[in-house]
Each structure stands twice: as C-alpha cells, then as structure tokens.
Amino acid sequence: MTRVQPEAIVIGASAGALEALSVILPALPADFRLPIIVVVHVPPDKRSIMAELFRAKCQLDVQEAMDKQPMSGGTIYFAPPDYHLLIEVDKTLSLSADEPVLFSRPSIDVLFESGADAFGPALIAVVLTGANSDGATGLAAAVKAGGLALVQDPAHAFATAMPEAALRLCPGARVLSLKAIAQYLKRFV
C-alpha cells in the first residue's frame, strides 16, 4: 500500500522542547514545502519567545499562529501561550480558550486531534520530549486517521514521560532520534 503524500506536520513538545526543536527545525531546508504546526507547553502568564528564537535559527518562515490564519507551506507556526491551537477542516488555524487538557493550554492532544480531522492520512504527527502524557491521545487519533506517527526515542529524551506515553498508545509509531526525525522530514522538500 502506498502512503498518501503528506500535507502537514504537527509537533508536540514540553520539558526539553527548545533543545529538541533546535535539532529538528533548523535542519529543514529553505525549499521545504509542508506547513509545520508546533505546540510547546509554555506558562500561560509568560510571553512566548519560541517564534522569535526559531526565526533566527531556521531557513523557513516562523510565526506565532493567529486565529483564522490560512496555513502556508514552508512555514512553522507556534501556538501562542494560553490558547489551544487547532487546524480547521478548511486548513486554517484557529485559537481556543477552552479549558486546559492535562493541565495544558495549549494542548498537544487538541492540535493533533484537529490535525487528524483536517488532514487524515496526509498528516505526520511528531511527539518529542515532555514530562506528562499530553500528545499520546492525539497521536493515537492521527494514527487512527491513517497519519504517520513519529516519536522521539525516550532513551535520548530530556523528559521521557511524553514519548513513553505516546508509545504505549501507539506501539507501531516510528521511534527515532532527533537527528533521524530531521532526516526523515527532509524527504518532503
């Protein structure tokens, strides 16, 4: 069976996210064609500097996501603090102030589940380092929709809880090092 051509990538990370994303995102070339939507757990009362930091490191356009924003290929979108980030079926981004999920807003599960609804088998979902189980249920939704699941090897994660929880729910996910995840994604130039 041939895989559907991917149309979007969703990434979730928590504790250790800056270091993990610093291996993956700057490795993507300027002609990378897929949109990348990222949720990192950040304190709700702090301004996020993730977009600023990665704008300086990456060859791709990096933005903090805005409500009702259409997605563009070759762009990295970070969830703003204290909002869930969702992908609508019309492939726009939306922000929600709904209740936190697993004490997190933004929630990785919310992003991944909405991404699975919008893209189905054309979604790549990536769970990285983190200290809770956010992302596991969303990864399972992506797999159920036919999407591809990548999980950072827990043996090399700063915080193992998130990748381990993801693998418990999705034992068939590809387990890769950060460098291997970057290499895998570079195939979609």
Side-chain angles (χ1 to χ4, degrees):
M1 183 176 97
T2 53
R3 284 211 55 83
V4 170
Q5 190 64 27
E7 294 176 23
I9 298 166
V10 290
I11 300 177
S14 188
L18 183 61
E19 296 81 358
L21 291 168
S22 292
V23 173
I24 297 170
L25 298 179
L28 301 175
D31 57 349
F32 191 80
R33 61 175 191 77
L34 301 180
I36 302 167
I37 307 90
V38 185
V39 162
V40 174
H41 294 158
V42 290
D45 55 341
K46 296 263 194 295
R47 188 175 75 81
S48 175
I49 58 167
M50 294 302 270
E52 277 173 51
L53 285 172
F54 282 96
R55 199 171 295 125
K57 296 179 180 209
C58 294
Q59 299 176 64
L60 301 175
D61 183 28
V62 181
Q63 303 178 14
E64 188 166 280
M66 294 184 293
D67 196 37
K68 308 297 181 231
Q69 181 177 19
M71 288 188 296
S72 297
T75 304
I76 301 167
Y77 300 93
F78 278 94
D82 210 24
Y83 287 95
H84 293 305
L85 177 57
L86 297 92
I87 301 171
E88 300 296 337
V89 291
D90 67 359
K91 313 296 194 285
T92 60
L93 299 172
S94 68
L95 302 177
S96 159
D98 287 348
E99 288 300 308
V101 175
L102 295 170
F103 308 103
S104 299
R105 186 174 61 209
S107 160
I108 299 163
D109 282 334
V110 169
L111 172 63
F112 283 19
E113 288 165 1
S114 67
D117 289 344
F119 287 101
L123 184 71
I124 298 175
V126 184
V127 173
L128 303 176
T129 178
N132 69 12
S133 63
D134 190 20
T137 303
L139 192 68
V143 169
K144 185 175 180 190
L148 182 66
L150 307 178
V151 176
Q152 181 183 0
D153 185 342
H156 303 290
F158 176 82
T160 61
M162 213 155 81
E164 286 172 347
L167 289 171
R168 276 194 299 278
L169 281 187
C170 302
R174 291 177 192 233
V175 180
L176 301 168
S177 69
L178 293 172
K179 283 187 177 165
I181 290 171
Q183 284 302 118
Y184 187 90
L185 296 180
K186 281 163 80 170
R187 296 165 43 184
F188 304 106
V189 169

